[in-house]
Amino acid sequence: MKIMIMLRVVFAVFVFSSLAAMGSSAMTQLVTYVFGDSLTDVAAKLGIPSPPAYLAVSQNSDALLKGVNYASGGAGILNDTGLYFIQRLSFDDQINSFKRTKDVITARVGEAAAIKHCNDAMYFIGIGSNDYVNNFLQPFLADGQQYTHDEFVELLISTLDQQLSRLYQLGARKMVFHGVGPLGCIPSQRVKSRKGQCLKRVNEWILEFNSKVQKLLNTLNHRLPNSKLIFADTYPLVLDLINNPTTYGFKVSNTSCCNVDTSIGGLCLPNSKLCSNRNDYVFWDAFHPSDAANVVLAEKFFSTLFSSAPAAAPAPSD
């Protein structure tokens, strides 16, 4: 199983804005626990190391106390999402791993200290894309045939409600949920259009999902004492990059750099043919943005932050 050991750039923005006034020492001591799928990227601007993959440090209490990444390629909110990936860890699996993490930490520092540690940590959650592209939108899987979209999105939200509530019960208080991007515009979906255009209906479904997640987080903030759940909406930023690639220095946003067979998944295989200049492409394969695109998105997120962030209070004079 390939465990992703990266942070989403938007998480860096949120944390930076939360801690900017606290100084560099607070940044270096920040503990993060990451949950999600393969749609992640390194947050180099944050100035802290990416947390290690859980399976590499599962019994190392020193490492666990510094933060862990549980994210797994193919993971989803639903346990049957990505079933054909075999070794993926669903969101429920990742939460179970966090519980084991807390048990190890408790054995190391005691129950009271472990609870405080979990309460003080930051939790980043980026999940939901695979529930669509590797579940509902796949005609050969049961969910796409069994549910209408209204029924499916309600299943996702009710399941997510239970999962976030369980994380809270395990000690999580400060959680950032990353909304799903415009999946109707990724190469694996565009190929279903006769002219290679974005699938409007898919994007409408994603906007509905994101809206319902936002409402859920607001409800949880009122229901769970001392919780701070925040929705990070990058949908419009990603869509603008796709619709206006030349504005950001790209040439191609409707297909991938890696020549992939979308009928068998759309991932870049070792024998795949690559484009001559990957920096021209918004997408690396049928699902994932290129490194160059992630750099642009990171810059865009940070410029948005600093253009709207209030000025820091002046230091007191002696």
Side-chain angles (χ1 to χ4, degrees):
M1 175 183 56
K2 184 176 182 180
I3 299 293
M4 308 304 293
I5 52 172
M6 301 178 180
L7 283 170
R8 288 180 189 267
V9 289
V10 70
F11 180 59
V13 175
F14 171 78
V15 175
F16 194 93
S17 64
S18 300
L19 300 179
M22 296 174 63
S24 59
S25 60
M27 299 291 286
T28 58
Q29 295 172 14
L30 178 67
V31 175
T32 59
Y33 292 100
V34 183
F35 303 80
D37 52 35
S38 63
L39 287 173
T40 54
D41 201 1
V42 175
K45 282 181 172 288
L46 188 58
I48 61 174
S50 295
Y54 170 70
L55 294 184
V57 296
S58 60
Q59 297 303 316
N60 184 337
S61 59
D62 287 337
L64 296 177
L65 282 164
K66 297 176 183 177
V68 182
N69 192 317
Y70 306 94
S72 175
I77 294 169
L78 303 180
N79 288 324
D80 59 355
T81 290
L83 190 63
Y84 49 86
F85 289 115
I86 302 176
Q87 289 185 308
R88 56 87 182 89
L89 295 178
S90 68
F91 192 23
D92 276 337
D93 293 328
Q94 295 175 38
I95 295 172
N96 289 337
S97 296
F98 175 67
K99 181 182 183 303
R100 289 191 287 271
T101 295
K102 184 180 178 183
D103 290 341
V104 173
I105 291 175
T106 300
R108 169 69 183 275
V109 302
E111 183 174 2
I115 291 174
K116 185 179 186 304
H117 172 86
C118 293
N119 288 171
D120 291 343
M122 299 291 300
Y123 299 81
F124 173 75
I125 304 159
I127 204 158
S129 296
N130 285 312
D131 292 289
Y132 281 92
V133 297
N134 289 315
N135 191 338
F136 185 72
L137 297 177
Q138 294 288 4
F140 55 85
L141 293 178
D143 285 359
Q145 303 172 19
Q146 180 178 355
Y147 301 108
T148 65
H149 182 258
D150 286 344
E151 294 169 337
F152 184 71
V153 74
E154 288 303 325
L155 175 62
L156 290 178
I157 297 302
S158 62
T159 305
L160 187 60
D161 185 344
Q162 297 171 9
Q163 292 165 332
L164 296 179
S165 297
R166 187 174 178 222
L167 271 177
Y168 174 87
Q169 292 165 2
L170 289 171
R173 294 293 180 268
K174 308 164 191 172
M175 295 181 253
V176 181
F177 190 97
H178 185 288
V180 175
L183 296 182
C185 296
I186 67 176
S188 73
Q189 296 302 306
R190 280 181 182 265
V191 296
K192 301 176 182 179
S193 166
R194 290 182 179 180
K195 297 182 179 181
Q197 297 176 326
C198 295
L199 300 187
K200 181 180 178 181
R201 183 175 66 166
V202 173
N203 281 346
E204 289 173 346
W205 286 342
I206 299 306
L207 287 171
E208 182 182 353
F209 169 77
N210 284 343
S211 176
K212 288 183 179 295
V213 171
Q214 286 181 278
K215 292 178 182 177
L216 171 63
L217 300 186
N218 289 335
T219 298
L220 291 174
N221 278 329
H222 286 91
R223 191 170 81 204
L224 305 175
N226 300 316
S227 63
K228 186 175 183 181
L229 286 77
I230 293 179
F231 182 81
D233 186 11
T234 58
Y235 182 105
L237 299 180
V238 176
L239 184 62
D240 188 52
L241 176 60
I242 293 172
N243 287 340
N244 304 290
T246 56
T247 301
Y248 303 95
F250 296 93
K251 296 180 180 179
V252 183
S253 64
N254 62 342
T255 190
S256 58
C257 168
C258 184
N259 187 13
V260 295
D261 184 350
T262 55
S263 66
I264 59 172
L267 296 177
C268 191
L269 302 176
N271 61 346
S272 299
K273 182 180 179 181
L274 304 181
C275 61
S276 58
N277 185 358
R278 63 189 66 186
N279 291 332
D280 289 341
Y281 286 72
V282 172
F283 287 96
W284 167 246
D285 58 20
F287 305 104
H288 303 91
S290 64
D291 284 347
N294 280 326
V295 169
V296 169
L297 289 172
E299 294 290 344
K300 195 171 178 65
F301 294 148
F302 270 80
S303 63
T304 300
L305 165 69
F306 291 123
S307 65
S308 59
S317 58
D318 293 332

